[in-house]
Amino acid sequence: MPDKPALEGLESKWGAVWQNDGTYDFDRSAAVAAGPSGVFSIDTPPPTASGSLHIGHVFSYTHMDLSARFRRMRGDQIFYPMGWDDNGLPTERRVQNYYGVRCDPSIAYDADFVPPLEGGENASSKAADQVPISRRNFIELCERLTIEDEKQFEDVWRTLGLSVDWSQTYRTIGDDAQTVAQRAFLRNLARGEAYQADAPTLWDITFRTAVAQAELEDKEQPAAYHRVAFHRPDGTDVHIETTRPELLPACVALVAHPDDERYQHLFGTTVTTPLFEVEVPVVAHHLAQKDKGSGIAMICTFGDVTDVVWWRELDLPNRTVIGSDGRLVADAPEAITSAPGRAFYEELAGKTVFSAKKRIVELLGGSGEMIGEPRPITHSVKFFEKGDRPLEIISTRQWYIRNGARDAELRDTLVERGKQIGFTPEHMRVRYENWVGGLTGDWLISRQRFFGVPIPVWYSLDDNGDRGEPIVPDESALPVDPSTDTAPGYDESQRGVAGGFAGEVDIMDTWATSSLTPQIAGGWERDPELFDLVFPYSLRSQGQDIIRTWLFSTVLRSQLEHGTVPWTNAGISGFIVDPDRKKMSKSKGNVVTPAAMLDQHGSDAVRYWAASSRLGTDAAFDPQNPKQIKIGRRLAIKVLNAAKFVYSFPEPAVDGGAINDLDADLLAELDRVVGIATEAFESFDHARALETTEHFFWTFCDDYLELVKERAYGAGTPEEQASAVTTLRTAVDVLLRLFAPFIPFATEEVWSWTHEGSVHTAPWPTPSSDAAPRGILPAVSAALIGIRRAKTDAKASQKTPVDSATIVAPAASLALVRLAGADLAAVGRIAALDFAEGDDLAVVDVVLSETDG
């Protein structure tokens, strides 16, 4: 026991001990003996290894760790792995900026390549400044940087005190993860759940890749309505208002609401587009908005997702004019046949969307088909959540997995699976159900990127070099990379030639791998014994913002592959908001990185802050004045000092239990606290467990410890001293275990002073009796406060002797105070203590010793 206990250095001290002793290792043999019912398995969110962790990670991962620590002490075998989500766009963008490179698959591999930069965040964020390198060189740099980032992440997690089993760590780009993702895809394909199709695709022109519905983000953007004239055969005009005049060459129809009387006479007729002189029909659809613009809109392929719905449901032609680079394609749509129309299109071909819009507005003005001046507006535009430019919709061939959007039976099953999962808080289930009910298309899983899990298919090439049916590998060959591995039944010389084969170069969306974290970590098909022990998992803990992505996709993959839920409980953390109540995010530039905060305040203090918030509740954080963290630090320090004080009392001369009424009542109240904390933890309400334990602890320190310290030092009989010391040590022993999930470093330090082994593998406390507390401590504490107040009013020291004092209280309270009268007299230095009945508890007739004034 140190002379001056301190929090500093506890993280490194105990982190090393836990690692060396295997304190948090999953005990496989014990788990097998206990069976699945004795295993508590956690599907851990693999953080994106592309940069740095932020305070939100600390918040939600602490919540998960609290449950793990509680369940471990309850006797469960804990399967608690850690993963790193290291593939996908965030990693690629970080590598580009960090090393000053960009991937160009047409470039040959350079075995001796040295990147132009070695570090520096956003050192090269412009594509023009980046050196093009081969795909293989680029992937090697991705591997190098993610490994470095993952080491830094692990250091932060260890400092925070996450009780994960580090031997169970996995990477979503590792061979095991790739094998799982490719195996699941092949089985989806065999069952008809995965398919390939040409379709309108949300496309990010910066990253040149398709984007899924779950990755969208709406942003308010400035725009303008342009009033444009379409021409009827009788010489009259129909005016539409559009924010995207550059899509006029892609117009396939005009649309109005079927109940709009202004345009009902036009339904079934045709009009001619301005400039391009293409005849298009006027149609009706319920999604047209009477009060938007002029009430009649042009349908283009494709301006937004509503255009896609109209195009599909009204069976309209496809005249896509925007290419994958965000520029208008070179060839005009076949429908533009007039010489003037083709000439106008030639002026637009090759231009960016912005430049094409500017030019077409000039052309419309010159032709007289632009009515008035553009009318500025602000409207919502869809972005890729990690992108900086508005998405376009282009027609591409992509891979999809069925998700219930077009399958009512599957959709209903997924809703039912959601009902079988225990959401905490309960209202988060509605977000899941709303997402399932609002799906508009199947899950697009292919990405035109480089660092990710390859889609495991090749294609046969006919005599003309055109692609035929997919060729798939045997599962025993996984993982494969079709861009470099040879297709089954062919040799490498047949790659890319007529009669040979072509390898798929697209990779899977990162969520297509992350949606399989239960299977990856649990050894699906690789370790059947382990998988049967841990699956379905006990808990998925995550943030609310990825219910639509990670949570939903994991439920989907589990249903498709196993016909069950992936876990029985989902704990959903709230957001971290800044002092202005704005969500903290990297894009807003208001995030706080945790490393410096952990160093400054200590991990126990930071964990306390996170644990103080209930699941689903947003927490405000002010880095300039982190009040809750300071409170947590004060608590951890108090635990150290209070325990040292308790252990400083001399060993009792006799053995004995809690024979004193006050002592017995204190332990009865502690039993009640244990019951509340246990029930709270079992219902994933860690904040209530902390609040209840902390409230008791401060009462214990401020009141009980003060009241009994004289008796603990030896005042009174040996039996009374033994009662006090035994009660104090018993209470500390229980409190350390109650606090252990929240402040693991301070509690482990104190536990080591008097125990062998770790507090984190010690049994969770259980009530020692069913006796109800009588309320002795609150009553006598109120009387002690009265004594102290009298001394303060007299400007006397609290050590000043009191010749006499009278306690006045109702009969019931007076009886309770009498039971602890000896302790009250001792701590208050009262020579003569009298009692009298009255309406309220009060201390009267306090006579201080004359020698002290």
Side-chain angles (χ1 to χ4, degrees), residues 658-685:
I659 58 171
N660 180 281
D661 288 308
L662 176 59
D663 302 339
D665 213 46
L666 183 282
L667 294 180
E669 176 62 21
L670 182 55
D671 280 344
R672 188 185 72 85
V673 169
V674 168
I676 294 174
T678 303
E679 181 183 348
F681 260 123
E682 287 176 341
S683 59
F684 301 100
D685 190 355

Side-chain angles (χ1 to χ4, degrees), residues 356-425:
K357 178 181 292 185
K358 180 180 179 181
R359 181 57 183 148
I360 207 166
V361 168
E362 294 171 349
L363 293 173
L364 288 167
S367 69
E369 291 166 310
M370 175 79 74
I371 312 302
E373 293 295 320
R375 177 164 57 89
I377 63 166
T378 300
H379 66 163
S380 182
V381 178
K382 294 197 179 299
F383 283 68
F384 174 43
E385 61 185 355
K386 296 178 176 64
D388 303 316
R389 298 165 71 180
L391 293 173
E392 296 293 349
I393 299 176
I394 67 174
S395 293
T396 59
R397 189 162 185 79
Q398 304 286 346
W399 283 99
Y400 297 84
I401 289 179
R402 303 187 191 280
N403 62 3
R406 298 187 178 92
D407 183 339
E409 183 178 354
L410 176 57
R411 183 172 60 248
D412 292 344
T413 299
L414 292 173
V415 171
E416 183 59 31
R417 290 291 180 237
K419 294 177 180 177
Q420 295 169 5
I421 297 169
F423 278 79
T424 305

Side-chain angles (χ1 to χ4, degrees), residues 227-470:
R227 194 171 183 87
V228 179
F230 281 67
H231 313 301
R232 298 187 65 204
D234 62 4
T236 60
D237 290 337
V238 178
H239 294 159
I240 65 102
E241 291 190 3
T242 178
T243 61
R244 302 206 62 181
E246 72 276 13
L247 292 180
L248 272 171
C251 180
V252 293
L254 296 189
V255 63
H257 195 279
D259 297 334
D260 195 329
E261 296 179 355
R262 294 173 295 174
Y263 302 112
Q264 286 182 345
H265 67 288
L266 296 179
F267 297 147
T269 68
T270 61
V271 294
T272 302
T273 62
L275 297 179
F276 304 102
E277 302 177 1
V278 175
E279 189 175 4
V280 297
V282 182
V283 297
H285 195 279
H286 68 278
L287 289 181
Q289 300 177 36
K290 299 180 186 180
D291 57 352
K292 185 176 181 180
S294 61
I296 188 168
M298 66 174 183
I299 302 175
C300 299
T301 51
F302 297 92
D304 58 22
V305 292
T306 307
D307 278 342
V308 177
V309 175
W310 284 329
W311 167 79
R312 182 177 289 119
E313 295 187 1
L314 297 171
D315 195 23
L316 297 168
N318 189 339
R319 295 173 188 156
T320 299
V321 296
I322 298 178
S324 61
D325 58 357
R327 297 175 180 271
L328 271 66
V329 297
D331 297 328
E334 293 181 0
I336 302 176
T337 58
S338 71
R342 299 189 76 81
F344 283 133
Y345 188 83
E346 286 181 7
E347 292 196 45
L348 304 175
K351 291 185 180 296
T352 65
V353 169
F354 177 81
S355 298
K357 178 181 292 185
K358 180 180 179 181
R359 181 57 183 148
I360 207 166
V361 168
E362 294 171 349
L363 293 173
L364 288 167
S367 69
E369 291 166 310
M370 175 79 74
I371 312 302
E373 293 295 320
R375 177 164 57 89
I377 63 166
T378 300
H379 66 163
S380 182
V381 178
K382 294 197 179 299
F383 283 68
F384 174 43
E385 61 185 355
K386 296 178 176 64
D388 303 316
R389 298 165 71 180
L391 293 173
E392 296 293 349
I393 299 176
I394 67 174
S395 293
T396 59
R397 189 162 185 79
Q398 304 286 346
W399 283 99
Y400 297 84
I401 289 179
R402 303 187 191 280
N403 62 3
R406 298 187 178 92
D407 183 339
E409 183 178 354
L410 176 57
R411 183 172 60 248
D412 292 344
T413 299
L414 292 173
V415 171
E416 183 59 31
R417 290 291 180 237
K419 294 177 180 177
Q420 295 169 5
I421 297 169
F423 278 79
T424 305
E426 172 66 24
H427 69 262
M428 290 295 176
R429 187 194 317 276
V430 176
R431 300 193 183 191
Y432 167 82
E433 294 174 346
N434 288 344
W435 176 252
V436 176
L439 289 167
T440 59
D442 285 331
W443 180 13
L444 190 160
I445 66 160
S446 49
R447 293 292 181 272
Q448 292 66 53
R449 297 303 301 178
F450 315 108
F451 188 53
V453 177
I455 294 175
V457 298
W458 298 263
Y459 306 93
S460 60
L461 300 179
D462 63 19
D463 293 339
N464 296 319
D466 295 327
R467 286 188 175 187
E469 292 299 310

Side-chain angles (χ1 to χ4, degrees), residues 40-53:
F40 189 84
S41 49
I42 301 173
D43 184 18
T44 315
T48 301
S50 59
S52 59
L53 295 167

Side-chain angles (χ1 to χ4, degrees), residues 670 674 729-739 751 765-766:
L670 182 55
V674 168
R729 294 185 177 181
T730 299
V732 167
D733 189 271
V734 172
L735 283 166
L736 289 175
R737 287 178 284 159
L738 291 176
F739 274 134
W751 189 263
T766 56

